[in-house]
């Protein structure tokens, strides 16, 4: 089988989707599944839809296009503000897009009129993350312009949190977003279909006990795919966190020391690291490198320790004596490792759809004896 490869267990993605959809449904919040971390992978997207999500969203038009080419006709929203140069294709492939710029919205409207379509516009509001968004005081006037513009329909407002500044939204911010939605409706005399509260970082707020106000949608990627809260890194109860694994092949086994060859001052070492202080571990070289994934986002299997990586090689130490050249080793990935691996040209994705084994909870306090190298 192809190596390196990402193996994805679709049954776990389905379970995570179903579980989050059910939990949020009880709070009257819909789920839009975000496929950008898996590059709009067709089978994974379909599995999210099978799991009951309301629609899909992606940041890149190329991913949306691939979903459309696969025959996917579900609602797809572009969650990154469209490039002006892509306005025509955004209208062609997406039902709606999140926007912050009037010039772009005008170009989308013109494209929609040419294509005899109506393109949905959701306005993204800046609420503290300081990435994309219209300043709240400007929202009303922009919403009015969009509502009056032929070719586009104002379908919603939304906000994004915890992407650039890493802090989850609080109740005050969510109340403000609800109030802004109500203000827009009063001003424009139109009902907003969607008030989107944010990404996976909003789950603690959305599933908390308080009122949800006008929020009726969340855009979820990481929580569905990896079962973790992106702000804390904590595993979300009742979800699988091991739907994906990255499998790489051993290409050299030796007993070179982990210590001698590493100069902490060198430009490529990435600084000092802690590794187990054990002389008797074999040193493995794997055909996997920084060009394939975020090597620091890989979880080493038990008995294995990360030593270093270059563009095409990963060096780890292993206490498992049975490993030889040609053996395969599997790693779990964090979000950063996953998205890079899914986009890497040399990594193929293999889908499994097994009956999932029970959810394994995180081991508590895994300690090791460490030495500085
Ligand atoms: C990436 C992204 C999401 C999904 O984020 P997760 O943390 O993966 O849930 C939602 N909205 C926007 C605007 C994004 O860029």
């Amino acid at each position: 089988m192809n190596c390196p490869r990402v193996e994805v267990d679709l049954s776990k993605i389905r379970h995570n989707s179903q579980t989050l959809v059910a939990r949020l449904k009880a709070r009257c919040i819909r789920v839009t599944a975000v496929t950008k971390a898996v590059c709009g992978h067709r089978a994974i997207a379909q599995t999210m839809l099978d799991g009951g999500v309301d629609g899909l969203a992606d940041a890149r038009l190329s991913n949306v296009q691939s979903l459309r080419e696969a025959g996917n006709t579900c609602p797809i929203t572009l969650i990154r503000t469209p490039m002006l140069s892509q306005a025509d294709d955004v209208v062609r492939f997406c039902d709606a897009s999140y926007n912050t710029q009037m010039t772009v919205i005008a170009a989308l409207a013109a494209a929609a009129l040419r294509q005899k379509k109506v393109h949905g516009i959701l306005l993204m509001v800046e609420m503290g993350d300081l990435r994309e968004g219209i300043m709240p005081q400007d929202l009303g006037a922009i919403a009015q312009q969009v509502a009056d513009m032929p070719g586009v329909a104002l379908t919603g407002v939304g906000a994004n949190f915890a992407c650039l500044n890493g802090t989850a939204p609080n109740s005050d911010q969510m109340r403000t977003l609800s109030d802004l939605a109500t203000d827009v409706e009063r001003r424009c005399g139109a009902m907003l279909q969607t008030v989107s509260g944010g990404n996976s970082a909003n789950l603690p707020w959305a599933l908390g006990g308080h009122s949800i106000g006008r929020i009726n949608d969340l855009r979820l990627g990481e929580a569905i795919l990896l079962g973790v809260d992106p702000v804390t890194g904590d595993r979300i109860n009742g979800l699988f966190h091991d739907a994906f694994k990255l499998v790489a092949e051993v290409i050299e086994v030796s007993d070179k020391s982990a210590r001698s060859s590493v100069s902490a001052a060198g430009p490529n070492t990435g600084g000092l690291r802690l590794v187990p202080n054990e002389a008797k571990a074999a040193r493995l070289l794997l055909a996997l490198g920084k060009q394939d994934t975020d090597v620091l986002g890989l979880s080493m299997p038990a008995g294995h320790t990360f030593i270093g990586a270059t563009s095409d090689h990963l060096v780890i130490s292993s206490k498992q004596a049975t490993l030889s050249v040609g053996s395969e080793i599997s790693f779990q990935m964090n979000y950063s490792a996953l998205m890079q691996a899914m986009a890497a040209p040399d990594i193929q994705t293999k889908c499994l759809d097994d009956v999932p084994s029970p959810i394994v909870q995180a081991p508590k306090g895994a300690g090791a004896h460490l030495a500085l190298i």
Side-chain angles (χ1 to χ4, degrees), residues 266-287:
N268 299 318
T269 56
L272 295 171
R273 280 186 303 277
L274 291 165
V275 302
N277 187 14
E278 57 211 355
K280 273 291 144 222
R283 194 178 147 103
L284 306 179
L285 193 61
L286 284 88

Side-chain angles (χ1 to χ4, degrees), residues 84-89 91-92 106-118 150-151:
L84 192 56
S85 59
Q86 292 186 333
D88 274 300
D89 280 345
V91 170
R92 189 161 294 122
L108 293 168
L113 289 174
R114 280 196 296 277
Q115 294 176 35
K116 301 192 178 15
K117 282 183 169 177
V118 176

